[in-house]
Amino acid sequence: MTLALPVVGFGPRRSPPYPCPAMPVEPRTYEVRTYGCQMNVHDSERLTGLLEAAGYAAAGSGERADVVVFNTCAVRENADNKLYGNLSHLAPIKAANPGMQIAVGGCLAQKDRSTITAKAPYVDVVFGTHNIGSLPALLERARVQEEAQVEILESLEVFPSTLPTKRESAYAAWVSISVGCNNTCTFCIVPALRGKEKDRRPGEILAEIEALVGEGVSEVTLLGQNVNAYGVEFGDRHAFAKLLRACGAIEGLERVRFTSPHPAEFTDDVIEAMAETPNVMPSLHMPLQSGSDKVLKEMRRSYRSSKYLGIIDRVRAAMPDAAITTDIIVGFPGETEEDFQATLDVVAAARFSGAFTFQYSKRPGTPAATLDDQVPPDVVKHRYERLAALVNDVAWAENKRLVGRRLELMVSEGEGRKDAATHRLSGRAPDNRLVHFAADFSQVADAEVRPGDLVTVEVTYAAPHHLVADGPVLAVRRTRSGDAWEARHAAAPAGVTLGMPVVGLPASLPDAPACR
């Protein structure tokens, strides 16, 4: 699809204002820095696609970019501090390079609007969550008019899936099925920034997935702020289960995941669809937030701990090998020691394979920010440490159960930070556990594997956040995804880094939970 975007292949720093055919013009370069949830990571893929469609090129490693774009998160208080700290770091660099531009988008831009340019007057563009497609035009307008451009829309005009996208992975892809959220959780500012839920039609989603598979993608993750509420806009409460089953009919699609469902709307037809659709993976990330019914009520989470644990039991009954992860907030206003103990009890009963744990962060504009009985910071910190220790112990025990098990892994890229030193490769199991495996191909004929290929290994060691398979690789299946990865890397330089770990369970926790 051709978009009516301005061509901005030249700028004041790199070329004269009226280049001629005899004078080759270098494209302006960009860097996108991403913070927050998976939805932001996927939005950044669209931002990079838009910029490249408009004539920009990704900045090389260590190169100063002509345009720096911050795609921000507003879930936690330190998001503000991080943004303004990074902006102040760029201020002297921009002062020395007048042609440089800085743009701020995402949830924090939607929330702070014009205050960003008041605090950082050297920012050229501020855009919101509903108009990421405007970025190239806003950059050009700011350059021509030599003044900051602030454009914040209150509602979505174009579904982001229609925009150009530069995907970071050749073998795995995000697919948005909805944007926005209809829930009113008292701690969450996201519905105010992302708006009410908007659903894509099933045919559009499946067409996008089929096109991705045609390009070599073999794993997709369906995205939504409240993914299992999909269908509410067009009145089909079973739409999400139907969509999962429809994904099962797409030839060449090896793995389907989704994030993140809300427990209040998690229905048995979704469990049945997961269990009965072979390419839907046995992994589930379902936020708990608290194990205390009193706190859940104050959070307006519209479910209680017994319902949550009941869903977990039914998932495991249908898929005994399912790995379940969660989000938990510690120190919500009014949380007592008894409330916190209830959370510990649910963690022990649920046997999570991992959890993203967070200290409550007061966000202006949310109902919880005005609640009485804010928990003292030292108490919150102590509870957080106790919870993290329990989560670690439970996850480790769950991982130890897999020692000796044979797993088929999709070889991944960039997840084994110590692979070079340990002479290992890394991959994801069907349940999304990260496995580091020895590059020992003595028992297989094909010793060359690429990201996107599939290998079978036997687990020899378990750690809290990963598994290790130090025996020989037992089988290799080269895939079209591996071919796509190889073709991409043979044809083009490395793309822009999004500044966000890939989906899964990293060794260290991120600084913001997903938006749900």
Side-chain angles (χ1 to χ4, degrees), residues 383-402:
R383 289 177 184 170
Y384 173 83
E385 292 170 349
R386 290 160 61 194
L387 175 61
L390 177 60
V391 165
N392 196 71
D393 290 345
V394 171
W396 198 357
E398 287 297 296
N399 281 353
K400 286 177 181 177
R401 296 171 57 239
L402 296 178

Side-chain angles (χ1 to χ4, degrees), residues 121-188:
Y122 42 87
V123 168
D124 299 275
V125 171
V126 179
F127 62 102
T129 59
H130 296 131
N131 63 318
I132 63 175
S134 301
L135 176 60
L138 292 171
L139 287 168
E140 180 68 357
R141 195 187 306 161
R143 187 182 70 83
V144 172
Q145 298 181 5
E146 297 184 343
E147 64 180 13
Q149 302 295 311
V150 178
E151 182 176 290
I152 305 291
L153 301 184
E154 295 301 329
S155 61
L156 192 68
E157 291 188 342
V158 178
F159 203 93
S161 61
T162 63
L163 301 174
T165 301
K166 181 183 177 182
R167 299 187 184 274
E168 282 299 294
S169 172
Y171 56 90
W174 311 98
V175 176
S176 289
I177 69 171
S178 65
V179 295
C181 181
N182 293 340
N183 291 316
T184 58
C185 300
T186 57
F187 58 83
C188 186

Side-chain angles (χ1 to χ4, degrees), residues 17 23 62 81 105-107 113 132 167 172-173 200 218-219 226 246 272 324 368 439-440 449 480:
M23 301 174 60
N81 300 332
C107 289
R113 302 172 185 250
I132 63 175
R167 299 187 184 274
R200 295 176 68 190
S218 57
E219 176 178 313
N226 185 4
E272 292 166 4
I324 299 169
D440 179 354
V449 297
R480 293 182 309 104

Side-chain angles (χ1 to χ4, degrees), residues 16-68:
Y18 301 105
C20 66
M23 301 174 60
V25 177
E26 290 184 59
R28 301 194 78 209
T29 59
Y30 72 87
E31 176 189 359
V32 177
R33 303 184 186 181
T34 308
Y35 306 96
C37 68
Q38 296 95 331
M39 190 69 75
N40 270 18
V41 176
H42 189 28
D43 282 349
S44 287
E45 291 184 328
R46 295 193 176 103
L47 291 171
T48 60
L50 282 161
L51 290 169
E52 297 205 354
Y56 294 85
S61 177
E63 178 186 359
R64 179 186 60 77
D66 296 312
V67 174
V68 179

Side-chain angles (χ1 to χ4, degrees), residues 306-368:
S306 59
K307 177 170 183 174
Y308 187 97
L309 290 172
I311 294 170
I312 300 296
D313 289 343
R314 294 195 298 280
V315 168
R316 287 211 169 98
M319 294 167 285
D321 293 330
I324 299 169
T325 57
T326 196
D327 294 334
I328 302 172
I329 296 172
V330 177
F332 186 81
E335 181 189 74
T336 64
E337 179 63 25
E338 182 181 3
D339 294 324
F340 177 67
Q341 184 59 51
T343 296
L344 298 180
D345 293 343
V346 172
V347 169
R351 305 192 339 261
F352 294 119
S353 62
F356 297 104
T357 55
F358 305 93
Q359 299 181 44
Y360 169 73
S361 179
K362 183 191 294 188
R363 303 307 288 136
T366 63

Side-chain angles (χ1 to χ4, degrees), residues 196-257:
K196 292 292 186 181
E197 181 171 331
K198 301 285 290 183
D199 294 331
R200 295 176 68 190
R201 303 302 297 184
E204 295 176 7
I205 297 168
L206 295 171
E208 180 181 353
I209 296 173
E210 289 170 352
L212 289 169
V213 172
E215 296 170 4
V217 167
S218 57
E219 176 178 313
V220 299
T221 301
L222 307 178
L223 285 182
Q225 254 88 36
N226 185 4
V227 72
N228 59 323
Y230 174 72
V232 65
E233 194 178 21
F234 50 84
D236 184 354
R237 62 187 301 270
H238 301 293
F240 186 60
K242 293 175 183 176
L243 183 62
L244 291 178
R245 291 184 185 276
C247 288
I250 298 177
E251 185 176 354
L253 182 59
E254 300 258 1
R255 295 183 171 188
V256 178
R257 306 187 191 279

